[in-house]
């Protein structure tokens, strides 16, 4: 009675009389009387049917229109005409829903509900990691593809290719391609009844509608994400006014009292060439997806060749625990890149903690600096494979790196090392590199020769030259400490 709930009893009776003139065979009804008006109209319907000797067949609440119409069409129509009629019915119904529901969540929920009533079985949508995105029923089981999966083509004219497998029930799987970048799997489980020819006819419309909805949602989500990411990046790089910072922080739900930290992640070619390649862009999308499994999506954004994450510190997770989580994510992603044969390093720079969103720029600058000076930092901490750098752990070298003043930094380099450096420049020598390797290997001739791929006698000769030029005393621990620190400062200057 939904179509008649806004008309009076007299108008309703007029509609019934017009139906009777069309020589209808009877009425099929389902009681769903939620208002007094509906009850009155239903009584009028029963009285009218009795007067005109028309049957009124009542069906249970759990039976839907599609179940009935499929049966009726196959009884009263030629098979090919039934298929054409059903195709048009399903197309018109789904199109009507698409044009009249604008809320994304309500639209997908309504579409899945209608599809389930059409085919009489539950359906679900999964991403390419087989994570359930949407389901028509709550009892949908986890999805996996079995080894016995096979291709299947229904007995209709179709462009759709299915996969079919048997688990608890027979499952029909349709892969939907979204802009060539994302795969969505529609899975129909024959839990209640086998699929019929008309069900596969309906699925022809369903695939098109669902693909359109997912594409539209993807575009809208990407636009919203880019808008939010642009605002976040402007907040981080300090290009907003104070008032604008407040507005963006409100959008991002950041407070002036929050303890915040910026983490910057980059994919760097191992040969240090081509920082903005298509390869990086593709892999960055995969990396972002992996990171979002562990970090809140609201605070992750991508910018050209990097991912930026704003960490809101909380009492439940300490700094050490969070850093270990970041290191685990980095290792997992690096293993994935190695397995794929990608010539990329996944590096993570962690800025210092700041209080309030007005100071996020400082933390962001720190996180970028950690990546720019990654090779120097690796030497500082004695780990050539270090991939996650936390600025708060660098001590005095953090201040030296941030100095950005070459003249001042040169004052931290002892004269002996300065003379050696000038000699290398004039003669294109390798004395500085040899000295650094020698000290890093606890003054071991053997280890230095192995690491530099030169004969140990060559190392011995170079060390003799170093002593002659610089006057260094390798037996003086205090002097060697100054030299080691000077080498680090020298590497910082070279990176500027």
């Amino acid at each position: 009675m939904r179509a008649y709930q806004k008309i009076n009893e007299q108008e309703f009776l007029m509609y019934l009389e017009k139906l009777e003139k069309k020589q209808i065979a009877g009425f099929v009804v389902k009681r769903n009387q939620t208002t007094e008006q509906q009850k009155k109209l239903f009584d009028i319907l029963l009285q009218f049917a009795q007067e005109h000797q028309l049957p009124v067949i009542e069906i249970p609440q759990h039976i839907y229109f599609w179940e009935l119409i499929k049966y009726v069409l196959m009884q009263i129509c030629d098979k090919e005409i039934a298929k054409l009629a059903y195709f048009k019915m399903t197309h018109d119904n789904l199109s009507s829903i698409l044009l009249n529901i604008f809320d994304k969540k309500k639209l997908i929920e309504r579409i899945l509900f209608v599809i389930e009533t059409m085919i009489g079985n539950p359906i679900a949508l999964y991403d390419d990691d087989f994570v359930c995105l949407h389901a028509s029923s709550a009892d949908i089981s986890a999805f996996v593809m079995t080894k016995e999966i096979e291709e299947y083509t229904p007995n209709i004219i179709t462009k759709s290719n299915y996969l079919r497998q048997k688990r608890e029930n027979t499952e029909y799987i349709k892969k939907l391609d979204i802009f060539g970048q994302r795969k969505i799997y529609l899975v129909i489980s024959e839990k209640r009844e086998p699929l019929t020819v008309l069900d596969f006819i309906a699925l022809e419309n369903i695939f098109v509608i669902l693909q359109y909805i997912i594409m539209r949602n993807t575009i809208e989500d990407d636009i919203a994400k880019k808008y939010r990411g642009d605002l976040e990046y402007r907040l981080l790089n300090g290009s907003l006014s104070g008032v604008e910072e407040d507005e963006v922080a409100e959008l991002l739900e950041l407070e002036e009292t929050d303890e915040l930290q910026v983490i910057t992640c980059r994919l760097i070619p191992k040969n240090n060439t081509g920082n903005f390649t298509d390869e990086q862009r593709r892999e960055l999308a995969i990396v972002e997806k992996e990171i979002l499994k562990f970090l809140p999506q609201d605070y992750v954004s991508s910018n050209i060749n990097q991912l930026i994450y704003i960490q809101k510190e909380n009492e439940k997770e300490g700094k050490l625990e969070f850093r270990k989580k970041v290191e685990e994510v980095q290792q997992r992603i690096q293993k994935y890149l190695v397995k794929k044969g990608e010539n990329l390093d996944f590096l993570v720079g962690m800025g210092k903690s700041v209080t309030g969103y007005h100071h996020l720029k400082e933390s962001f600058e720190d996180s970028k600096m950690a990546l720019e000076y990654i090779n120097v930092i690796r030497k500082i901490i004695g780990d050539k494979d270090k991939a996650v750098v936390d600025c708060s752990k660098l001590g005095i070298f953090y201040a030296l790196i941030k100095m950005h003043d070459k003249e001042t930094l040169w004052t931290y380099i002892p004269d002996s090392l300065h003379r050696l450096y000038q000699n290398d420049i004039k003669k294109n020598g390798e004395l500085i590199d040899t000295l650094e390797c020698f000290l890093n290997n606890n003054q071991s001739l053997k280890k230095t020769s192995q690491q530099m791929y030169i004969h140990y006698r060559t190392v011995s000769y170079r060390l003799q030259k170093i002593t002659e030029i610089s006057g260094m005393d390798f037996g003086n621990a205090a002097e060697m400490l100054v030299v080691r620190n000077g080498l680090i400062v020298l590497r910082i200057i070279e990176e500027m």
Side-chain angles (χ1 to χ4, degrees):
M1 299 298 176
R2 287 179 183 173
Y4 305 105
Q5 56 189 343
K6 292 186 178 180
I7 66 173
N8 59 41
E9 290 87 339
Q10 193 61 39
E11 289 174 309
F12 180 58
L13 188 58
M14 179 185 69
Y15 282 118
L16 293 179
E17 289 171 349
K18 287 184 177 181
L19 288 172
E20 197 275 333
K21 288 180 181 178
K22 290 180 178 288
Q23 297 182 324
I24 62 169
F27 296 98
V28 180
V29 300
K30 181 161 56 174
R31 288 181 193 259
N32 188 18
Q33 300 165 31
T34 56
T35 68
E36 287 299 319
Q37 178 68 357
Q38 285 176 326
K39 291 177 182 177
K40 288 180 183 177
L41 297 182
F42 190 71
D43 289 340
I44 292 173
L45 173 64
L46 291 179
Q47 184 178 348
F48 180 86
Q50 186 175 6
E51 290 174 358
H52 292 81
Q53 296 183 333
L54 293 170
V56 178
I57 304 170
E58 182 174 355
I59 61 172
Q61 292 287 332
H62 67 274
I63 293 180
Y64 292 97
F65 165 80
W66 301 103
E67 189 174 345
L68 294 174
I69 202 64
K70 282 189 287 186
Y71 176 80
V72 171
L73 283 174
M74 296 304 286
Q75 298 302 315
I76 66 173
C77 297
D78 170 84
K79 188 174 181 180
E80 293 306 313
I81 293 176
K83 287 195 281 188
L84 288 171
Y86 194 67
F87 181 87
K88 185 177 187 309
M89 284 183 183
T90 54
H91 176 272
D92 291 348
N93 190 276
L94 293 170
S95 299
S96 176
I97 296 171
L98 188 64
L99 294 172
N100 289 286
I101 300 179
F102 302 100
D103 181 273
K104 289 191 295 185
K105 185 178 179 182
K106 290 181 179 177
L107 175 61
I108 199 75
E109 287 176 353
R110 180 61 186 170
I111 286 287
L112 291 187
F113 169 77
V114 171
I115 294 172
E116 182 174 356
T117 64
M118 282 182 177
I119 61 179
N121 286 294
I123 68 163
L125 292 170
Y126 297 86
D127 65 13
D128 45 13
D129 289 326
F130 302 143
V131 175
C132 186
L133 303 174
H134 305 280
S136 63
S137 301
D139 61 343
I140 293 288
S141 59
F143 176 60
V144 293
M145 284 193 180
T146 66
K147 293 181 179 179
E148 291 74 30
I149 198 165
E150 60 182 4
E151 293 185 359
Y152 175 79
T153 303
N155 189 26
I156 60 171
I157 298 173
T158 177
K159 295 180 180 179
S160 301
N161 297 315
Y162 294 83
L163 295 173
R164 183 172 65 176
Q165 66 182 14
K166 179 75 173 178
R167 292 199 295 158
E168 296 176 11
N169 312 102
T170 300
E171 293 175 329
Y172 294 89
I173 303 150
K174 170 65 179 176
K175 183 166 66 175
L176 305 176
D177 185 87
I178 310 300
F179 299 122
Q181 299 177 358
R182 185 183 177 197
K183 300 289 187 295
I184 300 292
Y185 294 93
L186 173 66
V187 180
I188 305 108
S189 301
E190 278 187 343
K191 275 195 169 186
R192 299 171 194 146
E193 56 193 44
L195 296 184
T196 66
V197 170
L198 292 186
D199 291 326
F200 286 108
I201 289 288
L203 286 169
E204 293 294 297
N205 284 312
I206 289 165
F207 298 148
V208 175
I209 293 291
L210 280 177
Q211 195 155 16
Y212 171 79
I213 292 172
I214 295 168
M215 284 182 170
R216 189 178 79 178
N217 290 351
T218 299
I219 293 171
E220 290 176 358
D221 290 344
D222 285 348
I223 292 172
K225 183 180 176 183
K226 186 178 186 309
Y227 172 70
R228 186 184 178 98
D230 287 347
L231 292 177
E232 183 179 305
Y233 190 73
R234 290 190 64 192
L235 178 66
L236 294 174
N237 67 19
S239 63
L240 298 173
S241 67
V243 173
E244 288 173 332
E245 281 189 355
D246 294 338
E247 292 176 354
V248 173
E250 184 177 358
L251 176 68
L252 298 176
E253 298 181 359
L254 299 174
E255 303 290 341
E256 291 191 24
T257 55
D258 286 338
E259 288 294 316
L260 304 169
Q261 181 182 28
V262 178
I263 291 92
T264 300
C265 311
R266 285 184 190 161
L267 286 174
I268 307 293
K270 290 184 178 180
N271 55 10
N272 293 319
T273 60
N275 282 325
F276 308 104
T277 63
D278 286 340
E279 177 188 35
Q280 281 173 290
R281 179 183 57 79
R282 287 191 299 270
E283 295 302 332
L284 194 67
I286 297 171
V287 168
E288 182 175 11
K289 185 176 179 181
E290 187 69 22
I291 285 177
L292 290 177
K293 294 178 182 178
F294 302 92
L295 302 175
Q297 184 170 352
D298 289 345
Y299 298 105
V300 176
S301 61
S302 57
N303 179 268
I304 308 177
N305 68 334
Q306 64 187 7
L307 290 172
I308 305 163
Y309 171 61
I310 299 175
Q311 157 72 354
K312 289 180 72 172
E313 296 181 13
N314 58 66
E315 297 177 358
K316 295 180 180 178
E317 184 177 49
K319 291 184 179 181
L320 178 60
E321 186 181 350
F322 174 72
R323 189 167 67 250
K324 285 183 176 179
K325 181 195 287 186
V326 172
E327 289 172 350
E328 288 172 4
V329 172
Q330 187 280 330
Q331 290 167 8
R332 184 179 290 106
I333 291 172
Q334 190 63 58
K335 285 180 181 177
Y336 158 80
L337 293 171
V338 171
K339 188 176 180 181
K340 279 196 69 179
E342 299 289 356
N343 192 36
L344 297 167
D345 277 330
F346 180 59
L347 306 178
V348 180
M350 302 178 69
K352 71 175 183 179
S353 294
V354 295
T355 301
Y357 53 82
H358 289 299
H359 299 286
L360 276 171
K361 180 182 177 182
E362 301 167 26
S363 185
F364 183 42
E365 288 296 328
D366 287 346
S367 69
K368 292 191 294 181
M369 180 193 71
L371 297 177
E372 289 167 8
Y373 291 90
I374 184 71
N375 292 326
V376 176
I377 292 169
R378 283 169 171 171
K379 292 180 185 295
I380 292 173
I381 60 180
D383 183 354
K384 63 182 179 65
D385 297 318
K386 187 69 173 175
V388 178
V389 178
D390 187 345
C391 284
S392 66
K393 301 297 178 183
L394 297 179
I396 189 173
F397 297 107
Y398 168 78
L400 292 174
I401 292 171
K402 288 202 71 174
M403 195 172 290
H404 298 300
D405 184 346
K406 287 187 178 182
E407 290 186 12
T408 303
L409 285 172
W410 273 112
T411 64
Y412 291 92
I413 298 175
D415 289 342
S416 58
L417 190 59
H418 194 280
R419 287 195 296 271
L420 206 59
Y421 180 72
Q422 293 300 323
N423 182 81
D424 270 358
I425 291 176
K426 288 179 183 179
K427 299 183 178 181
N428 195 26
E430 297 181 72
L431 297 182
I432 288 286
D433 291 341
T434 304
L435 173 63
E436 186 175 44
C437 187
F438 182 62
L439 295 179
N440 286 343
N441 285 288
N442 296 317
Q443 301 191 24
S444 168
L445 283 171
K446 183 178 180 181
K447 289 182 179 178
T448 303
S449 66
Q450 289 174 344
Q451 192 166 325
M452 296 191 73
Y453 301 104
I454 57 178
H455 198 275
Y456 77 92
R457 287 181 181 175
T458 304
V459 176
S460 181
Y461 169 77
R462 288 181 182 177
L463 291 174
Q464 186 178 349
K465 292 291 292 182
I466 289 170
T467 302
E468 291 174 1
I469 295 169
S470 67
M472 289 180 188
D473 180 3
F474 290 112
N476 188 325
E479 183 182 356
M480 287 301 100
L481 177 61
V482 173
V483 170
R484 286 179 67 86
N485 290 341
L487 282 167
I488 292 171
V489 176
L490 181 61
R491 297 310 187 193
I492 293 172
I493 292 172
E494 289 175 341
E495 291 291 324
M496 286 183 172

